[in-house]
Amino acid sequence: RRVSTPLPRPPRPASGGDGARHHRRKPVEGDEEAALIRGEARVEQRRIGAGDVDRGEHDRAIAALQSALAIQEKLNGPEHVAVAAVLYNLAVSYRHKHDFAAALEAIARAAKIHGARSPGSDRHRNELTMIASIANEAGDHQRALDATAVVLAFAKPAETPQTPAWAELERATALIALH
């Protein structure tokens, strides 16, 4: 049974403040390829805007984000926090297209990256809660419960009260749907 409640707009990943370390590869003299890749990554990320999603241009947003993801992975490696940020936005775009399997795959990978680097950070919690939100929308309420249980079990307090509140909302949505 599906619960018809409006979904809150998921928070966008914050820039910093979660204890995650942002490492940039130091350029080597004469390393034009690295400079080119960094430049491509900046250009690609500027092209991608919430406007594409807000205007319903999901395919365009997904294509641009996939390109940005490939660039970030090449530049920083597959486990970098910059990759996680692109994955989060990719999950949001897939979700808007109702491609829940792809959305869950992207957001689970982002959560794994932040879980390894800064477990319990607000970014990590928001990614886990996004898993729950997408799972609820897809009808997988048990997966939503499992994800929110992890979020709400962290001993370290959240940086903002909205972070655990969103997890509690998704947990309640899943519980109502299951009963």
Side-chain angles (χ1 to χ4, degrees):
R1 185 173 136 225
R2 182 139 163 86
V3 177
S4 297
T5 56
L7 295 173
R9 187 169 186 104
R12 295 192 185 271
S15 58
D18 66 359
R21 293 183 185 169
H22 299 272
H23 297 286
R24 293 183 187 234
R25 189 176 85 149
K26 295 188 180 197
V28 177
E29 191 169 326
D31 193 357
E32 291 86 21
E33 181 183 11
L36 178 64
I37 293 170
R38 277 192 298 282
E40 286 176 11
R42 283 191 294 273
V43 168
E44 195 65 39
Q45 288 177 23
R46 279 189 209 117
R47 278 187 15 183
I48 304 163
D52 288 341
V53 173
D54 291 343
R55 288 187 304 274
E57 297 175 8
H58 307 299
D59 291 330
R60 180 178 171 186
I62 289 168
L65 286 162
Q66 287 172 333
S67 177
L69 179 62
I71 292 167
Q72 287 294 346
E73 288 174 329
K74 185 173 181 181
L75 180 63
N76 298 306
E79 303 301 318
H80 195 272
V81 294
V83 170
V86 175
L87 287 165
Y88 186 99
N89 292 325
L90 192 55
V92 170
S93 294
Y94 280 129
R95 178 186 188 174
H96 282 287
K97 248 189 108 171
H98 299 279
D99 186 348
F100 300 124
L104 286 166
E105 182 181 331
I107 199 63
R109 187 169 161 215
K112 182 179 176 188
I113 292 168
H114 277 118
R117 289 185 172 262
S118 54
S121 68
D122 273 17
R123 281 187 182 187
H124 184 219
R125 291 175 201 228
N126 285 336
E127 290 158 348
L128 291 169
T129 303
M130 177 64 90
I131 290 170
S133 184
I134 295 167
N136 271 332
E137 195 170 349
D140 188 351
H141 305 295
Q142 187 58 55
R143 184 168 184 180
L145 282 177
D146 294 344
T148 58
V150 173
V151 173
L152 298 171
F154 286 115
K156 172 183 155 185
E159 296 167 32
T160 65
Q162 294 86 354
T163 299
W166 183 29
E168 289 168 357
L169 175 65
E170 294 302 333
R171 183 167 189 75
T173 300
L175 287 169
I176 290 167
L178 288 172
H179 292 95

